[in-house]
Amino acid sequence: MIKNYSINTKLIILFVVTFFLVCVLFIILLKIEGNIYNKEESFKQENLIKSLLNNYKNEVDTDLKKYLINSGFNIVKNNQLIKLIRKEGKIAFMQDGDYCDLYSLFYNNNPYLDMQCKNSSNALFEQSANNRVYNLLLAGFFFFSFLVIFMYLSVLKSLEPLKKLRMQIAEVSNGKKPKFENYQDDEVGKIAFEFEKAFKKNQELIESRQLFLRTIMHELKTPIGKGRIITEMIKDFKQKDRLNDIFIRLDLLINEFAKMESLFSKNYNLNITQNQFSVILNEAKVYLMCDDLDKVINIKLYSDPFLNVDLEIFSLILKNMLDNALKYSDDGTCKLECYKDSFVIKNPGKELSQPIEYYFKAFSREKYEKVGGMGLGLYIVYEVCRLHNFELIYNYEKGKHCFMVFFGEKNKNGN
């Protein structure tokens, strides 16, 4: 598996590899230049020594010194350095003369001319003018190294706004509204600008959706209220009770929609409290409004554990799970079992045509299912379980759909 590295890590690796290759390249060039220079200087000094000894056969050593100084050589005056060069220097060429012996020496890749005369007037010379490519290569190395380091630091500085942008995006996911300001007109600034545009457009869509839903719910509340007033005028108590139940159920459904809308638009803060499962179940029974509940739902509480949940929201989720189990059951019944760390809802039915992950998405349902619905039931259940740090597990066995909500260790270490 290929490991994904951060941009900073990739930049550091690229910089180190580039700098290393530059160093290797310049070292090779310096060695090549040194070898060429040594050969050229050795050949020049050989010719120079031969020429000097031929031209100054009858001249004294002072004339040789003057000629060498006028030819661009300087006398080395450091006695310790002179001894070191004569001891450790490599002799490239030597020739004996009538009055003086001349040696071509190389020490630390630098050429020297050693003149040892019979009258003890010895001298060591070095070239004062150095037209070597070596210095140009060194200057090029330092310049290129500076350029690489400068570009590396410049790129790192250009990427710093990415950290700011990442933090602002994280704030968006937490429900805050950051201001995307103080960005330069570069690639990162353009990304921030486009993200701000998308964020504002998304906020406008969310606000328009919320306004639309709230307007519909408000408009529905009015006829329900009027219907309940008119119901009180009916003299037939049986019809009166039926109509009251209908209007109460409609009112509960609208309140349920409002809570779900607030929850998924990030405007609802979960009120986590510790509640026994039996209390949550009783709340769910109220929302179900089923007269023959005990006949259609087989409830077995093997344990009555405490759950850390938002009672109002989670009782709605339990109600939706039971309602869906009854709606999609082949015989119109379902079974609820509660254990120490989980509860399971089972109902007989045909096997699903798609993997369960498909139905955990919004607006997903069986294509040829006769039962009506928008395909939001399991999506809402899955999302609320995730918000509570619970695990929703599904399996199909022996012709039954089994939905288990696990609230064990995850719930203890969760919210």
Side-chain angles (χ1 to χ4, degrees):
M1 182 180 288
I2 299 175
K3 187 176 181 180
N4 293 323
Y5 294 97
S6 66
I7 295 176
N8 283 343
T9 303
K10 292 177 181 178
L11 277 176
I12 292 171
I13 294 173
L14 178 62
F15 167 74
V16 171
V17 171
T18 303
F19 192 76
F20 173 76
L21 292 176
V22 168
C23 291
V24 171
L25 176 63
F26 275 97
I27 288 171
I28 294 172
L29 289 175
L30 289 172
K31 285 187 176 181
I32 294 173
E33 190 276 339
N35 291 332
I36 295 173
Y37 178 77
N38 288 342
K39 289 180 181 179
E40 290 179 351
E41 290 301 317
S42 178
F43 180 73
K44 288 179 181 179
Q45 288 198 6
E46 181 179 346
N47 290 334
L48 177 64
I49 289 172
K50 289 179 179 179
S51 175
L52 287 174
L53 292 178
N54 288 331
N55 294 332
Y56 289 87
K57 284 183 178 180
N58 300 319
E59 302 292 337
V60 293
D61 59 336
T62 54
D63 293 330
L64 285 174
K65 289 182 180 178
K66 289 179 181 179
Y67 178 82
L68 289 173
I69 291 172
N70 292 332
S71 298
F73 285 85
N74 291 328
I75 298 176
V76 179
K77 297 179 180 180
N78 189 328
N79 292 328
Q80 290 183 351
L81 180 61
I82 293 172
K83 291 179 181 179
L84 190 63
I85 293 172
R86 285 175 174 169
K87 181 180 179 181
E88 299 183 5
K90 182 180 179 182
I91 300 174
F93 178 78
M94 63 170 292
Q95 188 165 341
D96 298 332
D98 294 336
Y99 296 98
C100 296
D101 298 332
L102 295 177
Y103 299 85
S104 175
L105 299 175
F106 279 87
Y107 178 74
N108 288 339
N109 290 325
N110 292 317
Y112 295 91
L113 190 63
D114 188 15
M115 185 179 72
Q116 297 185 14
C117 298
K118 295 176 181 178
N119 60 359
S120 300
S121 180
N122 303 328
L124 186 68
F125 296 89
E126 63 178 350
Q127 284 186 315
S128 57
N130 193 354
N131 56 354
R132 291 182 61 179
V133 183
Y134 180 85
N135 294 331
L136 185 62
L137 287 174
L138 275 181
F141 170 73
F142 287 116
F143 173 77
F144 198 80
S145 300
F146 171 78
L147 184 63
V148 170
I149 295 172
F150 173 77
M151 291 301 298
Y152 169 71
L153 296 176
S154 179
V155 172
L156 281 185
K157 187 175 180 181
S158 298
L159 291 176
E160 282 183 1
L162 278 177
K163 297 179 181 179
K164 177 184 174 183
L165 181 60
R166 181 182 62 81
M167 293 177 65
Q168 288 181 323
I169 294 174
E171 289 179 358
V172 170
S173 64
N174 292 329
K176 297 181 181 180
K177 296 180 180 180
K179 294 182 179 180
F180 297 88
E181 298 176 347
N182 301 323
Y183 284 96
Q184 295 181 357
D185 188 19
D186 54 8
E187 287 77 5
V188 178
K190 290 176 182 178
I191 293 173
F193 175 72
E194 293 299 329
F195 185 83
E196 183 181 19
K197 282 174 59 179
F199 172 70
K200 288 182 178 179
K201 186 175 182 180
N202 187 57
Q203 287 296 113
E204 290 173 358
L205 289 173
I206 291 173
E207 290 171 2
S208 62
R209 185 199 68 179
Q210 290 175 348
L211 179 62
F212 175 72
L213 290 174
R214 288 169 185 173
T215 302
I216 289 177
M217 288 186 287
H218 175 72
E219 292 299 324
L220 288 174
K221 286 274 189 178
T222 302
I224 290 173
K226 290 181 179 179
R228 294 183 70 175
I229 293 172
I230 295 172
T231 301
E232 296 298 325
M233 300 178 184
I234 298 176
K235 295 180 180 180
D236 188 337
F237 290 102
K238 187 175 182 180
Q239 294 295 329
K240 181 178 179 179
D241 290 339
R242 285 179 178 176
L243 286 173
N244 268 328
D245 288 342
I246 291 171
F247 286 124
I248 290 170
R249 180 167 176 78
L250 285 173
D251 195 45
L252 286 172
L253 285 173
I254 291 172
N255 291 333
E256 182 180 338
F257 291 150
K259 290 167 188 172
M260 291 302 172
E261 189 276 330
S262 297
L263 179 66
F264 292 109
S265 62
K266 311 300 181 184
N267 291 326
Y268 185 88
N269 293 322
L270 292 176
N271 181 24
I272 303 296
T273 56
Q274 196 174 63
N275 300 277
Q276 278 189 287
F277 182 79
S278 57
V279 175
I280 301 171
L281 180 59
N282 289 333
E283 290 290 322
K285 288 179 181 178
V286 174
Y287 286 120
L288 274 171
M289 297 182 66
C290 183
D291 296 331
D292 54 349
L293 184 68
D294 294 332
K295 295 180 181 179
V296 295
I297 302 178
N298 183 9
I299 301 174
K300 291 185 177 180
L301 301 183
Y302 297 103
S303 180
D304 192 10
F306 284 91
L307 280 71
N308 293 324
V309 296
D310 184 309
L311 178 61
E312 196 172 12
I313 291 295
F314 204 80
S315 57
L316 285 174
I317 294 307
L318 181 57
K319 169 257 179 185
N320 282 344
M321 293 182 71
L322 292 171
D323 197 25
N324 280 345
L326 293 173
K327 189 186 297 182
Y328 293 97
S329 174
D330 286 347
D331 59 5
T333 65
C334 68
K335 191 174 185 179
L336 169 64
E337 299 174 351
C338 184
Y339 302 94
K340 183 179 180 181
D341 56 3
S342 64
F343 69 85
V344 184
I345 296 177
K346 303 177 181 179
N347 68 288
K350 297 179 181 179
E351 189 173 1
L352 298 174
S353 61
Q354 301 287 341
I356 191 60
E357 290 77 15
Y358 169 79
Y359 303 96
F360 287 161
K361 299 176 182 177
F363 307 107
S364 300
R365 57 190 302 273
E366 293 286 78
K367 293 182 179 179
Y368 305 105
E369 186 63 58
K370 295 181 180 180
V371 180
M374 297 181 66
L376 288 171
L378 282 179
Y379 166 72
I380 294 173
V381 171
Y382 176 77
E383 288 296 322
V384 171
C385 286
R386 185 180 63 81
L387 289 173
H388 283 81
N389 203 28
F390 294 167
E391 187 176 3
L392 180 61
I393 303 170
Y394 168 80
N395 60 70
Y396 184 78
E397 56 183 21
K398 297 180 181 179
K400 290 185 178 181
H401 299 282
C402 302
F403 286 91
M404 182 181 77
V405 175
F406 180 79
F407 47 80
E409 291 300 320
K410 284 193 174 184
N411 187 36
K412 291 177 182 178
N413 300 326
N415 296 333

